[in-house]
């Protein structure tokens, strides 16, 4: 999982998780368009990052299927953090 979070080397997925941890953003969530605009990447690239984080259980989409808003799964993030702290 560490490789999936750290790849690509620029830390894009970690930045998305950090951004979603900010109070205003955490409350409303982010769309793929939000992520693309903030990171300066094409929408398909943003969707790839969001879908991978979702498949890892770190994000959960809510709302409309064509424009879901992604939010962090704080419980899953705590579990993953604990695994890394134990040296997994």
């Amino acid at each position: 999982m560490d490789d999936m979070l750290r790849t690509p080397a620029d830390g894009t997925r970690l930045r998305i998780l950090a951004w979603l941890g900010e109070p205003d953003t955490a409350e409303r969530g982010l769309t793929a368009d939000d992520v693309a605009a903030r990171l300066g990447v094409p929408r398909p690239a943003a969707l790839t990052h969001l879908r991978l984080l979702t498949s890892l259980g770190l994000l959960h989409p809510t709302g409309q299927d064509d424009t879901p808003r992604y939010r962090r799964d704080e419980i899953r993030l705590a579990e993953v953090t604990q695994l890394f702290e134990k040296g997994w």
Side-chain angles (χ1 to χ4, degrees), residues 1-21 39 49 53 58 72 77 80 84:
M1 182 175 311
D2 185 47
D3 288 341
M4 286 188 265
L5 289 174
R6 296 194 187 281
T7 304
D10 67 2
T12 300
R13 293 180 191 114
L14 292 173
R15 288 188 299 174
I16 292 169
L17 289 171
W19 185 22
L20 280 164
L39 298 176
H49 292 301
L53 291 168
L58 301 175
R72 292 179 3 160
L77 280 168
V80 171
F84 283 114

Side-chain angles (χ1 to χ4, degrees), residues 6-84:
R6 296 194 187 281
T7 304
D10 67 2
T12 300
R13 293 180 191 114
L14 292 173
R15 288 188 299 174
I16 292 169
L17 289 171
W19 185 22
L20 280 164
E22 296 172 3
D24 290 341
T25 307
E27 185 177 322
R28 64 180 163 78
L30 296 172
T31 65
D33 290 332
D34 294 333
V35 172
R38 171 105 179 221
L39 298 176
V41 299
R43 187 175 190 275
L47 274 171
T48 298
H49 292 301
L50 292 168
R51 287 179 179 150
L52 177 61
L53 291 168
T54 299
S55 72
L56 293 170
L58 301 175
L59 299 182
H60 57 88
T62 59
Q64 302 170 344
D65 288 337
D66 59 336
T67 314
R69 297 190 82 73
Y70 294 84
R71 291 180 177 82
R72 292 179 3 160
D73 184 326
E74 297 298 337
I75 294 170
R76 178 70 176 141
L77 280 168
E79 292 170 350
V80 171
T81 299
Q82 190 173 35
L83 286 174
F84 283 114

